[in-house]
Coordinates of all heavy atoms in Angstrom, one line a residue:
M230 N -27.8 29.0 -21.0 CA -26.4 28.7 -21.2 C -25.7 29.4 -22.3 O -24.6 29.8 -22.2 CB -26.3 27.2 -21.4 CG -24.9 26.7 -21.3 SD -24.2 27.0 -19.7 CE -23.2 25.6 -19.4
I231 N -26.5 29.7 -23.4 CA -25.9 30.4 -24.5 C -25.6 31.8 -24.1 O -24.6 32.4 -24.6 CB -26.8 30.3 -25.7 CG1 -26.1 30.8 -27.0 CG2 -28.1 31.1 -25.5 CD1 -25.2 29.8 -27.5
Y232 N -26.3 32.4 -23.2 CA -26.0 33.8 -22.7 C -24.6 33.8 -22.0 O -23.9 34.8 -22.1 CB -27.1 34.3 -21.8 CG -28.4 34.5 -22.5 CD1 -29.5 33.8 -22.1 CD2 -28.5 35.3 -23.6 CE1 -30.7 34.0 -22.8 CE2 -29.7 35.5 -24.3 CZ -30.8 34.8 -23.9 OH -32.0 35.0 -24.5
F233 N -24.3 32.8 -21.3 CA -23.1 32.7 -20.6 C -21.9 32.7 -21.6 O -20.9 33.4 -21.5 CB -23.0 31.4 -19.7 CG -21.6 31.1 -19.3 CD1 -21.0 31.9 -18.2 CD2 -20.8 30.1 -19.9 CE1 -19.7 31.6 -17.8 CE2 -19.5 29.9 -19.5 CZ -19.0 30.6 -18.4
W234 N -22.1 31.9 -22.7 CA -21.0 31.8 -23.6 C -20.8 33.1 -24.4 O -19.7 33.5 -24.7 CB -21.2 30.6 -24.6 CG -20.9 29.3 -23.9 CD1 -21.8 28.3 -23.5 CD2 -19.6 28.9 -23.5 NE1 -21.1 27.3 -22.9 CE2 -19.8 27.6 -22.9 CE3 -18.3 29.4 -23.6 CZ2 -18.7 26.9 -22.4 CZ3 -17.2 28.7 -23.1 CH2 -17.4 27.4 -22.5
I235 N -21.9 33.7 -24.8 CA -21.9 35.0 -25.5 C -21.2 36.0 -24.6 O -20.2 36.7 -25.0 CB -23.3 35.5 -25.9 CG1 -23.8 34.6 -27.0 CG2 -23.2 36.9 -26.3 CD1 -25.3 34.8 -27.3
L236 N -21.6 36.1 -23.3 CA -20.9 37.0 -22.4 C -19.4 36.7 -22.2 O -18.6 37.6 -22.2 CB -21.7 37.0 -21.0 CG -21.1 37.9 -19.9 CD1 -21.3 39.4 -20.4 CD2 -21.8 37.6 -18.6
Y237 N -19.1 35.4 -22.1 CA -17.8 35.0 -21.9 C -16.9 35.4 -23.1 O -15.8 35.9 -22.9 CB -17.7 33.5 -21.7 CG -16.3 32.9 -21.5 CD1 -15.7 33.0 -20.3 CD2 -15.6 32.3 -22.6 CE1 -14.4 32.6 -20.1 CE2 -14.3 31.9 -22.4 CZ -13.7 32.0 -21.2 OH -12.4 31.5 -21.1
F238 N -17.4 35.2 -24.3 CA -16.6 35.5 -25.5 C -16.4 37.0 -25.7 O -15.4 37.5 -26.1 CB -17.2 34.9 -26.8 CG -16.9 33.4 -26.9 CD1 -18.0 32.6 -27.1 CD2 -15.7 32.9 -26.7 CE1 -17.8 31.2 -27.2 CE2 -15.4 31.5 -26.8 CZ -16.5 30.7 -27.0
I239 N -17.5 37.8 -25.3 CA -17.4 39.2 -25.4 C -16.4 39.8 -24.4 O -15.5 40.6 -24.7 CB -18.8 39.9 -25.2 CG1 -19.6 39.6 -26.5 CG2 -18.7 41.4 -25.0 CD1 -21.1 40.0 -26.3
L240 N -16.4 39.3 -23.2 CA -15.5 39.7 -22.1 C -14.1 39.3 -22.5 O -13.1 40.1 -22.3 CB -15.9 39.2 -20.8 CG -17.1 39.8 -20.1 CD1 -17.5 39.1 -18.8 CD2 -16.9 41.3 -19.9
S241 N -13.9 38.1 -23.0 CA -12.5 37.7 -23.4 C -12.0 38.5 -24.5 O -10.8 38.8 -24.6 CB -12.4 36.2 -23.6 OG -13.3 35.9 -24.8
L242 N -12.9 38.9 -25.4 CA -12.5 39.8 -26.5 C -12.1 41.2 -26.0 O -11.1 41.8 -26.5 CB -13.6 39.9 -27.6 CG -13.2 40.6 -28.9 CD1 -12.1 39.8 -29.6 CD2 -14.4 40.7 -29.8
I243 N -12.8 41.7 -25.1 CA -12.5 43.0 -24.5 C -11.2 42.9 -23.7 O -10.4 43.8 -23.8 CB -13.7 43.4 -23.5 CG1 -14.9 43.8 -24.4 CG2 -13.2 44.6 -22.7 CD1 -16.1 44.0 -23.6
I244 N -11.0 41.9 -23.0 CA -9.7 41.7 -22.3 C -8.5 41.6 -23.2 O -7.5 42.3 -23.1 CB -9.7 40.5 -21.3 CG1 -10.7 40.7 -20.2 CG2 -8.3 40.1 -20.8 CD1 -11.0 39.5 -19.4
S245 N -8.7 40.8 -24.3 CA -7.6 40.7 -25.3 C -7.4 42.0 -26.0 O -6.2 42.4 -26.2 CB -8.0 39.6 -26.3 OG -8.2 38.4 -25.7
F246 N -8.5 42.8 -26.3 CA -8.3 44.0 -27.0 C -7.7 45.1 -26.1 O -6.9 46.0 -26.5 CB -9.7 44.5 -27.5 CG -9.6 45.8 -28.3 CD1 -9.0 45.7 -29.6 CD2 -10.0 47.0 -27.9 CE1 -8.9 46.8 -30.4 CE2 -9.9 48.1 -28.6 CZ -9.4 48.0 -29.9
S247 N -7.9 45.0 -24.8 CA -7.2 45.9 -23.8 C -5.7 45.7 -23.8 O -5.0 46.6 -23.7 CB -7.8 45.8 -22.4 OG -7.5 44.5 -21.9
F248 N -5.3 44.4 -24.0 CA -3.9 44.2 -24.1 C -3.3 44.7 -25.4 O -2.2 45.1 -25.5 CB -3.6 42.7 -23.9 CG -3.5 42.3 -22.5 CD1 -4.6 41.7 -21.9 CD2 -2.3 42.5 -21.8 CE1 -4.5 41.3 -20.6 CE2 -2.3 42.1 -20.4 CZ -3.4 41.5 -19.8
Y249 N -4.2 44.7 -26.4 CA -3.8 45.3 -27.7 C -3.5 46.8 -27.6 O -2.6 47.3 -28.1 CB -4.9 45.0 -28.8 CG -4.6 45.6 -30.1 CD1 -3.8 44.8 -31.0 CD2 -5.0 46.8 -30.6 CE1 -3.5 45.2 -32.3 CE2 -4.7 47.3 -31.8 CZ -4.0 46.5 -32.7 OH -3.7 46.9 -33.9
K250 N -4.3 47.5 -26.8 CA -4.2 48.9 -26.6 C -3.1 49.3 -25.7 O -2.6 50.5 -25.8 CB -5.5 49.5 -26.1 CG -6.6 49.5 -27.1 CD -6.3 50.5 -28.1 CE -7.5 50.9 -28.9 NZ -7.2 51.8 -29.9
I251 N -2.6 48.4 -24.8 CA -1.6 48.8 -23.9 C -0.2 49.1 -24.5 O 0.4 50.1 -24.2 CB -1.4 47.7 -22.8 CG1 -2.6 47.6 -21.9 CG2 -0.1 47.9 -22.0 CD1 -2.5 46.5 -20.9
F252 N 0.1 48.3 -25.5 CA 1.5 48.4 -26.1 C 1.5 49.4 -27.3 O 0.5 49.6 -28.0 CB 2.0 47.0 -26.6 CG 2.1 46.1 -25.4 CD1 1.1 45.1 -25.2 CD2 3.2 46.1 -24.6 CE1 1.2 44.3 -24.1 CE2 3.3 45.3 -23.5 CZ 2.3 44.3 -23.3
S253 N 2.7 49.9 -27.5 CA 2.8 50.9 -28.7 C 3.4 50.2 -29.9 O 3.2 50.6 -31.0 CB 3.6 52.1 -28.3 OG 4.9 51.7 -27.9
S254 N 4.2 49.1 -29.7 CA 4.8 48.4 -30.8 C 3.8 47.5 -31.5 O 3.1 46.8 -30.8 CB 5.9 47.6 -30.2 OG 6.4 46.7 -31.2
P255 N 3.7 47.6 -32.8 CA 2.7 46.7 -33.5 C 2.9 45.2 -33.3 O 2.0 44.5 -33.2 CB 2.9 47.1 -35.0 CG 3.6 48.4 -35.0 CD 4.4 48.5 -33.7
V256 N 4.2 44.8 -33.1 CA 4.5 43.4 -32.9 C 4.0 43.0 -31.6 O 3.4 41.9 -31.5 CB 6.0 43.2 -33.1 CG1 6.4 41.7 -32.7 CG2 6.5 43.5 -34.5
L257 N 4.2 43.8 -30.5 CA 3.8 43.4 -29.2 C 2.2 43.5 -29.1 O 1.6 42.6 -28.4 CB 4.4 44.3 -28.2 CG 5.9 44.2 -27.9 CD1 6.4 45.2 -26.9 CD2 6.1 42.8 -27.4
K258 N 1.6 44.4 -29.8 CA 0.2 44.5 -29.8 C -0.4 43.2 -30.4 O -1.3 42.6 -29.8 CB -0.3 45.6 -30.7 CG -0.2 47.0 -30.1 CD -0.7 48.0 -31.0 CE -0.8 49.4 -30.4 NZ -1.5 50.3 -31.1
I259 N 0.1 42.8 -31.5 CA -0.4 41.6 -32.2 C -0.1 40.3 -31.4 O -1.0 39.4 -31.2 CB 0.1 41.5 -33.6 CG1 -0.4 42.6 -34.5 CG2 -0.2 40.1 -34.2 CD1 0.2 42.7 -35.8
L260 N 1.1 40.2 -30.8 CA 1.5 39.1 -30.0 C 0.7 38.9 -28.8 O 0.1 37.8 -28.5 CB 3.0 39.2 -29.7 CG 3.5 38.0 -28.9 CD1 3.5 36.7 -29.8 CD2 4.9 38.3 -28.4
F261 N 0.5 40.0 -28.0 CA -0.2 39.8 -26.7 C -1.7 39.7 -27.0 O -2.4 39.0 -26.2 CB 0.1 41.0 -25.8 CG 1.3 40.8 -25.0 CD1 2.5 41.3 -25.5 CD2 1.3 40.2 -23.8 CE1 3.7 41.1 -24.8 CE2 2.5 40.0 -23.1 CZ 3.7 40.4 -23.6
F262 N -2.3 40.3 -28.0 CA -3.7 40.1 -28.3 C -3.9 38.6 -28.6 O -4.8 38.0 -28.2 CB -4.1 41.0 -29.5 CG -5.5 40.7 -29.9 CD1 -6.6 41.3 -29.2 CD2 -5.8 39.8 -30.9 CE1 -7.9 41.1 -29.6 CE2 -7.1 39.6 -31.3 CZ -8.2 40.2 -30.6
S263 N -3.0 38.1 -29.4 CA -3.1 36.7 -29.9 C -3.0 35.7 -28.7 O -3.7 34.7 -28.6 CB -2.1 36.3 -30.9 OG -2.2 37.2 -32.0
I264 N -2.0 36.0 -27.8 CA -1.8 35.1 -26.7 C -3.0 35.1 -25.8 O -3.5 34.0 -25.4 CB -0.6 35.5 -25.9 CG1 0.7 35.2 -26.7 CG2 -0.5 34.8 -24.5 CD1 2.0 35.7 -26.1
F265 N -3.5 36.2 -25.4 CA -4.7 36.3 -24.5 C -6.0 35.8 -25.2 O -6.8 35.2 -24.5 CB -4.8 37.7 -23.9 CG -3.9 37.9 -22.8 CD1 -2.7 38.6 -23.0 CD2 -4.1 37.4 -21.5 CE1 -1.8 38.7 -22.0 CE2 -3.2 37.6 -20.5 CZ -2.0 38.3 -20.7
F266 N -6.1 36.1 -26.4 CA -7.3 35.6 -27.2 C -7.2 34.0 -27.2 O -8.2 33.4 -27.0 CB -7.3 36.2 -28.6 CG -8.5 35.9 -29.4 CD1 -9.6 36.7 -29.2 CD2 -8.6 34.8 -30.2 CE1 -10.8 36.4 -29.9 CE2 -9.8 34.6 -30.9 CZ -10.9 35.4 -30.8
G267 N -6.0 33.5 -27.4 CA -5.9 32.0 -27.5 C -6.2 31.4 -26.1 O -6.8 30.3 -26.0
L268 N -5.7 32.0 -25.1 CA -5.8 31.4 -23.7 C -7.3 31.5 -23.3 O -7.8 30.6 -22.7 CB -5.0 32.2 -22.7 CG -3.5 31.9 -22.7 CD1 -2.7 32.8 -21.8 CD2 -3.2 30.4 -22.4
L269 N -7.9 32.6 -23.6 CA -9.3 32.8 -23.0 C -10.4 32.2 -23.9 O -11.4 31.8 -23.4 CB -9.6 34.3 -22.8 CG -8.7 35.0 -21.8 CD1 -8.9 36.5 -21.8 CD2 -8.9 34.4 -20.4
N270 N -10.2 32.1 -25.2 CA -11.3 31.7 -26.1 C -11.2 30.2 -26.5 O -12.2 29.7 -27.1 CB -11.3 32.5 -27.4 CG -11.9 33.9 -27.1 OD1 -12.8 34.0 -26.3 ND2 -11.4 34.9 -27.7
G271 N -10.2 29.5 -26.1 CA -10.2 28.1 -26.4 C -11.2 27.3 -25.5 O -11.2 27.4 -24.3
V272 N -12.1 26.6 -26.1 CA -13.1 25.8 -25.3 C -12.9 24.3 -25.8 O -12.6 24.0 -26.9 CB -14.5 26.2 -25.5 CG1 -14.7 27.6 -25.0 CG2 -14.9 26.2 -27.0
W273 N -13.2 23.4 -24.8 CA -13.0 22.0 -25.1 C -13.9 21.2 -24.1 O -14.5 21.8 -23.2 CB -11.6 21.6 -25.0 CG -11.3 20.3 -25.7 CD1 -10.9 19.2 -25.2 CD2 -11.3 20.1 -27.1 NE1 -10.7 18.2 -26.2 CE2 -11.0 18.8 -27.4 CE3 -11.7 20.9 -28.2 CZ2 -10.9 18.3 -28.7 CZ3 -11.6 20.4 -29.5 CH2 -11.3 19.1 -29.7
F274 N -14.0 19.9 -24.4 CA -14.8 19.1 -23.5 C -14.2 18.9 -22.2 O -13.0 18.7 -22.1 CB -15.0 17.7 -24.2 CG -15.7 17.9 -25.6 CD1 -15.0 17.7 -26.7 CD2 -17.1 18.1 -25.6 CE1 -15.6 17.9 -28.0 CE2 -17.7 18.2 -26.8 CZ -17.0 18.1 -28.0
V275 N -15.0 18.9 -21.1 CA -14.5 18.8 -19.8 C -13.7 17.5 -19.6 O -12.6 17.5 -19.1 CB -15.7 18.9 -18.8 CG1 -15.2 18.6 -17.3 CG2 -16.3 20.2 -18.9
L276 N -14.3 16.4 -20.0 CA -13.7 15.1 -19.9 C -13.8 14.4 -21.3 O -14.7 14.7 -22.1 CB -14.4 14.2 -18.9 CG -14.3 14.6 -17.5 CD1 -15.3 13.7 -16.6 CD2 -12.9 14.5 -16.9
P277 N -12.8 13.6 -21.7 CA -12.9 12.9 -22.9 C -14.2 12.1 -23.0 O -14.5 11.3 -22.1 CB -11.7 12.0 -22.9 CG -10.7 12.6 -22.0 CD -11.5 13.3 -21.0
G278 N -14.9 12.2 -24.1 CA -16.2 11.5 -24.3 C -17.4 12.3 -23.7 O -18.5 11.8 -23.8
S279 N -17.1 13.4 -23.0 CA -18.2 14.1 -22.4 C -18.8 15.1 -23.4 O -18.2 15.5 -24.4 CB -17.7 14.9 -21.2 OG -18.6 15.8 -20.7
Q280 N -20.0 15.6 -23.2 CA -20.6 16.5 -24.1 C -20.6 18.0 -23.5 O -21.1 18.9 -24.1 CB -22.1 16.1 -24.3 CG -22.2 14.9 -25.1 CD -21.6 15.0 -26.5 OE1 -21.7 16.0 -27.2 NE2 -20.9 13.9 -26.9
T281 N -20.1 18.1 -22.3 CA -20.0 19.4 -21.6 C -18.8 20.2 -22.0 O -17.7 19.7 -21.9 CB -20.0 19.2 -20.1 OG1 -21.1 18.3 -19.7 CG2 -20.2 20.5 -19.4
L282 N -19.0 21.4 -22.5 CA -17.9 22.3 -22.9 C -17.5 23.2 -21.7 O -18.4 23.6 -20.9 CB -18.3 23.1 -24.1 CG -18.4 22.3 -25.4 CD1 -18.9 23.3 -26.5 CD2 -17.1 21.7 -25.8
A283 N -16.3 23.6 -21.7 CA -15.8 24.5 -20.7 C -14.6 25.2 -21.3 O -13.9 24.7 -22.2 CB -15.4 23.9 -19.4
P284 N -14.2 26.4 -20.8 CA -13.0 27.1 -21.2 C -11.8 26.2 -21.0 O -11.6 25.6 -19.9 CB -12.9 28.3 -20.4 CG -14.3 28.6 -20.0 CD -14.9 27.2 -19.8
A285 N -10.9 26.1 -22.0 CA -9.8 25.2 -21.9 C -8.8 25.6 -20.8 O -8.2 24.7 -20.2 CB -9.1 25.1 -23.3
I286 N -8.7 26.9 -20.6 CA -7.7 27.3 -19.5 C -8.2 26.8 -18.1 O -7.4 26.4 -17.3 CB -7.5 28.8 -19.5 CG1 -6.4 29.3 -18.6 CG2 -8.8 29.6 -19.2 CD1 -5.1 28.9 -19.2
S287 N -9.5 26.8 -17.9 CA -10.0 26.3 -16.6 C -9.8 24.8 -16.5 O -9.5 24.3 -15.4 CB -11.4 26.7 -16.4 OG -12.3 26.0 -17.3
I288 N -10.0 24.1 -17.6 CA -9.7 22.6 -17.6 C -8.2 22.3 -17.4 O -7.9 21.4 -16.6 CB -10.2 22.0 -18.9 CG1 -11.7 22.2 -19.1 CG2 -9.9 20.5 -18.9 CD1 -12.2 21.8 -20.5
L289 N -7.4 23.1 -18.0 CA -5.9 23.0 -17.8 C -5.6 23.2 -16.3 O -4.8 22.4 -15.8 CB -5.2 24.0 -18.7 CG -3.7 23.9 -18.7 CD1 -3.3 22.5 -19.3 CD2 -3.1 25.0 -19.5
I290 N -6.1 24.2 -15.7 CA -5.9 24.4 -14.3 C -6.4 23.3 -13.4 O -5.7 22.8 -12.5 CB -6.5 25.8 -13.8 CG1 -5.8 26.9 -14.5 CG2 -6.4 25.9 -12.3 CD1 -6.4 28.3 -14.4
L291 N -7.5 22.8 -13.7 CA -8.1 21.6 -13.0 C -7.2 20.4 -13.2 O -7.1 19.6 -12.3 CB -9.5 21.4 -13.3 CG -10.5 22.4 -12.7 CD1 -11.9 22.1 -13.3 CD2 -10.5 22.3 -11.2
E292 N -6.8 20.2 -14.4 CA -5.9 19.0 -14.7 C -4.6 19.1 -13.9 O -4.1 18.0 -13.5 CB -5.5 19.0 -16.2 CG -6.7 18.7 -17.1 CD -6.8 17.2 -17.4 OE1 -5.8 16.5 -17.3 OE2 -7.9 16.8 -17.9
N293 N -4.1 20.3 -13.6 CA -2.9 20.4 -12.8 C -3.1 20.2 -11.3 O -2.2 20.0 -10.6 CB -2.2 21.7 -13.1 CG -1.5 21.7 -14.4 OD1 -1.1 20.7 -14.9 ND2 -1.5 22.9 -15.0
T294 N -4.4 20.4 -10.9 CA -4.6 20.4 -9.4 C -5.4 19.2 -8.9 O -4.8 18.4 -8.2 CB -5.3 21.7 -9.0 OG1 -6.5 21.8 -9.7 CG2 -4.5 23.0 -9.3
I295 N -6.6 19.1 -9.3 CA -7.5 18.1 -8.7 C -7.9 16.9 -9.5 O -8.3 15.9 -9.0 CB -8.7 18.8 -8.0 CG1 -9.5 19.5 -9.0 CG2 -8.3 19.7 -6.9 CD1 -10.8 20.1 -8.5
I296 N -8.0 17.1 -10.8 CA -8.5 16.1 -11.7 C -7.3 15.2 -12.2 O -6.3 15.8 -12.4 CB -9.3 16.7 -12.9 CG1 -10.5 17.4 -12.4 CG2 -9.7 15.6 -13.9 CD1 -11.3 18.1 -13.5
E297 N -7.6 14.0 -12.4 CA -6.5 13.1 -12.9 C -6.2 13.6 -14.3 O -7.0 14.1 -15.1 CB -7.0 11.7 -12.9 CG -8.2 11.5 -13.8 CD -8.9 10.2 -13.5 OE1 -9.0 9.8 -12.3 OE2 -9.4 9.6 -14.4
G298 N -4.9 13.5 -14.7 CA -4.5 13.9 -16.0 C -5.0 13.1 -17.2 O -4.8 11.9 -17.2
N299 N -5.7 13.8 -18.1 CA -6.1 13.1 -19.3 C -5.3 13.5 -20.5 O -5.7 13.2 -21.6 CB -7.6 13.4 -19.5 CG -8.5 12.7 -18.6 OD1 -8.3 11.6 -18.2 ND2 -9.5 13.5 -18.1
G300 N -4.3 14.2 -20.3 CA -3.4 14.7 -21.4 C -3.6 16.1 -21.7 O -4.7 16.6 -21.7
Y301 N -2.5 16.8 -21.8 CA -2.5 18.2 -22.0 C -2.7 18.6 -23.5 O -3.1 19.7 -23.8 CB -1.2 18.9 -21.5 CG -1.1 18.7 -20.0 CD1 -0.2 17.9 -19.4 CD2 -2.0 19.4 -19.1 CE1 -0.1 17.7 -18.1 CE2 -1.9 19.2 -17.8 CZ -0.9 18.4 -17.2 OH -0.9 18.2 -15.9
I302 N -2.3 17.7 -24.4 CA -2.4 17.9 -25.8 C -3.8 18.2 -26.2 O -4.1 19.0 -27.1 CB -1.8 16.7 -26.6 CG1 -0.3 16.5 -26.2 CG2 -2.0 16.9 -28.1 CD1 0.5 17.7 -26.5
R303 N -4.8 17.5 -25.6 CA -6.2 17.7 -25.9 C -6.6 19.2 -25.6 O -7.6 19.7 -26.1 CB -7.1 16.7 -25.3 CG -7.3 16.9 -23.8 CD -8.2 15.8 -23.2 NE -8.5 16.1 -21.8 CZ -9.6 16.8 -21.4 NH1 -10.5 17.1 -22.3 NH2 -9.8 17.0 -20.2
L304 N -5.9 19.8 -24.7 CA -6.3 21.2 -24.3 C -5.5 22.2 -25.1 O -5.9 23.3 -25.3 CB -6.1 21.4 -22.8 CG -6.9 20.5 -21.9 CD1 -6.4 20.6 -20.5 CD2 -8.3 20.8 -22.1
I305 N -4.3 21.8 -25.5 CA -3.4 22.8 -26.2 C -4.0 23.0 -27.6 O -3.9 24.1 -28.2 CB -2.0 22.2 -26.3 CG1 -1.4 22.1 -24.9 CG2 -1.1 23.1 -27.1 CD1 -1.3 23.3 -24.1
R306 N -4.6 22.0 -28.3 CA -5.1 22.2 -29.6 C -6.1 23.3 -29.7 O -6.0 24.1 -30.6 CB -5.7 20.8 -30.1 CG -4.6 19.8 -30.5 CD -5.3 18.6 -31.0 NE -5.9 17.9 -29.8 CZ -6.6 16.8 -29.9 NH1 -6.9 16.3 -31.1 NH2 -7.1 16.2 -28.8
P307 N -7.2 23.3 -28.9 CA -8.1 24.4 -29.1 C -7.5 25.8 -28.8 O -7.9 26.8 -29.4 CB -9.3 24.1 -28.1 CG -8.8 23.1 -27.2 CD -7.7 22.4 -27.9
M308 N -6.6 25.8 -27.8 CA -5.9 27.1 -27.5 C -5.0 27.5 -28.7 O -5.0 28.7 -29.0 CB -5.0 26.9 -26.3 CG -5.8 26.8 -25.0 SD -4.6 26.7 -23.7 CE -5.6 26.6 -22.3
L309 N -4.4 26.6 -29.3 CA -3.6 26.9 -30.5 C -4.4 27.4 -31.7 O -4.1 28.4 -32.3 CB -2.7 25.7 -30.9 CG -1.7 25.9 -32.1 CD1 -0.7 26.9 -31.6 CD2 -1.1 24.6 -32.4
V310 N -5.6 26.8 -31.9 CA -6.5 27.3 -32.9 C -7.0 28.7 -32.6 O -7.0 29.5 -33.5 CB -7.6 26.3 -33.1 CG1 -8.7 26.9 -34.0 CG2 -7.1 25.0 -33.7
S311 N -7.3 28.9 -31.4 CA -7.8 30.2 -31.0 C -6.6 31.3 -31.1 O -6.9 32.4 -31.4 CB -8.3 30.2 -29.5 OG -9.4 29.4 -29.4
F312 N -5.4 30.8 -30.8 CA -4.3 31.7 -30.9 C -4.1 32.1 -32.4 O -3.9 33.3 -32.7 CB -3.0 31.1 -30.4 CG -1.7 31.8 -30.7 CD1 -1.4 32.9 -29.9 CD2 -0.9 31.5 -31.8 CE1 -0.2 33.6 -30.2 CE2 0.2 32.2 -32.1 CZ 0.6 33.3 -31.2
I313 N -4.2 31.2 -33.3 CA -4.1 31.5 -34.7 C -5.2 32.4 -35.2 O -5.0 33.4 -36.0 CB -4.0 30.2 -35.6 CG1 -2.7 29.4 -35.2 CG2 -4.1 30.4 -37.1 CD1 -2.6 28.0 -35.8
V314 N -6.4 32.1 -34.8 CA -7.5 33.0 -35.1 C -7.3 34.4 -34.6 O -7.5 35.4 -35.3 CB -8.9 32.4 -34.6 CG1 -10.0 33.4 -34.7 CG2 -9.2 31.1 -35.4
G315 N -6.9 34.5 -33.3 CA -6.6 35.8 -32.7 C -5.5 36.5 -33.4 O -5.5 37.7 -33.6
F316 N -4.5 35.8 -33.9 CA -3.4 36.4 -34.6 C -3.9 37.0 -35.9 O -3.5 38.1 -36.3 CB -2.3 35.3 -34.9 CG -1.0 35.8 -35.5 CD1 -0.1 36.6 -34.8 CD2 -0.8 35.6 -36.8 CE1 1.0 37.0 -35.3 CE2 0.4 36.1 -37.4 CZ 1.3 36.8 -36.7
L317 N -4.7 36.2 -36.6 CA -5.3 36.7 -37.9 C -6.2 37.9 -37.7 O -6.2 38.9 -38.5 CB -6.0 35.6 -38.6 CG -5.2 34.5 -39.1 CD1 -6.0 33.3 -39.7 CD2 -4.1 34.9 -40.1
I318 N -7.0 37.9 -36.6 CA -7.8 39.0 -36.3 C -7.0 40.3 -36.0 O -7.3 41.4 -36.4 CB -8.8 38.7 -35.1 CG1 -9.8 37.7 -35.5 CG2 -9.4 40.0 -34.5 CD1 -10.6 37.2 -34.4
A319 N -5.9 40.1 -35.2 CA -5.1 41.2 -34.8 C -4.4 41.8 -36.0 O -4.3 43.0 -36.1 CB -4.1 40.8 -33.7
I320 N -3.9 41.0 -36.9 CA -3.2 41.5 -38.1 C -4.2 42.2 -39.0 O -3.9 43.3 -39.5 CB -2.5 40.3 -38.8 CG1 -1.2 39.9 -38.1 CG2 -2.1 40.7 -40.2 CD1 -0.5 38.7 -38.7
S321 N -5.3 41.6 -39.2 CA -6.3 42.3 -40.0 C -6.8 43.6 -39.4 O -7.0 44.6 -40.1 CB -7.5 41.4 -40.3 OG -8.2 41.1 -39.1
F322 N -7.0 43.6 -38.1 CA -7.4 44.9 -37.4 C -6.3 45.9 -37.5 O -6.6 47.1 -37.8 CB -7.7 44.6 -35.9 CG -8.1 45.8 -35.2 CD1 -9.4 46.3 -35.3 CD2 -7.3 46.5 -34.3 CE1 -9.8 47.4 -34.6 CE2 -7.7 47.6 -33.6 CZ -8.9 48.0 -33.8
H323 N -5.1 45.5 -37.4 CA -3.9 46.4 -37.5 C -3.8 47.0 -38.9 O -3.5 48.2 -39.1 CB -2.6 45.7 -37.1 CG -1.5 46.7 -37.0 ND1 -1.3 47.6 -36.0 CD2 -0.4 46.8 -37.8 CE1 -0.2 48.3 -36.3 NE2 0.4 47.8 -37.3
L324 N -4.0 46.1 -39.9 CA -3.9 46.6 -41.3 C -5.1 47.5 -41.7 O -4.9 48.5 -42.4 CB -3.8 45.4 -42.3 CG -2.6 44.6 -42.2 CD1 -2.7 43.4 -43.1 CD2 -1.3 45.4 -42.5
V325 N -6.3 47.2 -41.2 CA -7.4 48.1 -41.5 C -7.3 49.4 -40.8 O -7.7 50.4 -41.4 CB -8.7 47.3 -41.1 CG1 -9.9 48.3 -41.1 CG2 -9.0 46.2 -42.0
K326 N -6.7 49.4 -39.6 CA -6.5 50.6 -38.8 C -5.6 51.6 -39.5 O -5.7 52.8 -39.5 CB -6.0 50.3 -37.4 CG -6.0 51.4 -36.5 CD -5.6 51.0 -35.1 CE -5.4 52.2 -34.2 NZ -4.9 51.8 -32.9
K327 N -4.6 51.0 -40.2 CA -3.6 51.8 -40.9 C -4.3 52.5 -42.1 O -4.1 53.5 -42.5 CB -2.4 51.0 -41.5 CG -1.4 50.8 -40.5 CD -0.2 50.2 -41.1 CE 1.0 50.2 -40.2 NZ 2.2 49.6 -40.8

């Protein structure tokens, strides 16, 4: 299971970094890297009180379609934390690159 999570985080970092490379404006680079990093790297518990983790974006999609709603705030928090971490990574990468 740990191999899945390592592969998942590496692939999401590659996807986020590819959005960083697409744009020429530093503001857009940092913004889109942060958005995709936050969407893809946020993980949370599948159900409240459960011990099973899953990507928050997949839980959000399931909450909208087939699973009863347990609240979107519980899913927005890990995505927001990942967004902030991605924002800090993008800014530091941009500053080091200069």
Side-chain angles (χ1 to χ4, degrees):
M230 189 61 142
I231 192 75
Y232 295 120
F233 167 76
W234 284 111
I235 291 171
L236 179 66
Y237 180 79
F238 286 128
I239 289 172
L240 287 176
S241 62
L242 188 63
I243 290 170
I244 291 169
S245 301
F246 188 69
S247 66
F248 278 98
Y249 181 85
K250 287 294 198 177
I251 288 175
F252 298 100
S253 60
S254 169
V256 174
L257 288 177
K258 284 182 173 192
I259 292 170
L260 181 68
F261 276 94
F262 177 85
S263 303
I264 288 171
F265 281 97
F266 190 83
L268 285 175
L269 295 174
N270 282 325
V272 294
W273 202 245
F274 300 104
V275 175
L276 294 171
S279 171
Q280 294 297 319
T281 308
L282 291 174
I286 191 74
S287 65
I288 301 170
L289 186 65
I290 292 169
L291 286 174
E292 289 268 338
N293 284 329
T294 57
I295 59 174
I296 296 178
E297 62 200 38
N299 289 319
Y301 298 109
I302 300 299
R303 74 181 188 95
L304 300 171
I305 300 298
R306 286 181 287 175
M308 288 181 180
L309 185 62
V310 169
S311 295
F312 173 80
I313 292 169
V314 168
F316 186 75
L317 294 174
I318 289 171
I320 287 177
S321 62
F322 181 77
H323 185 72
L324 291 176
V325 167
K326 188 177 174 186
K327 274 188 172 182

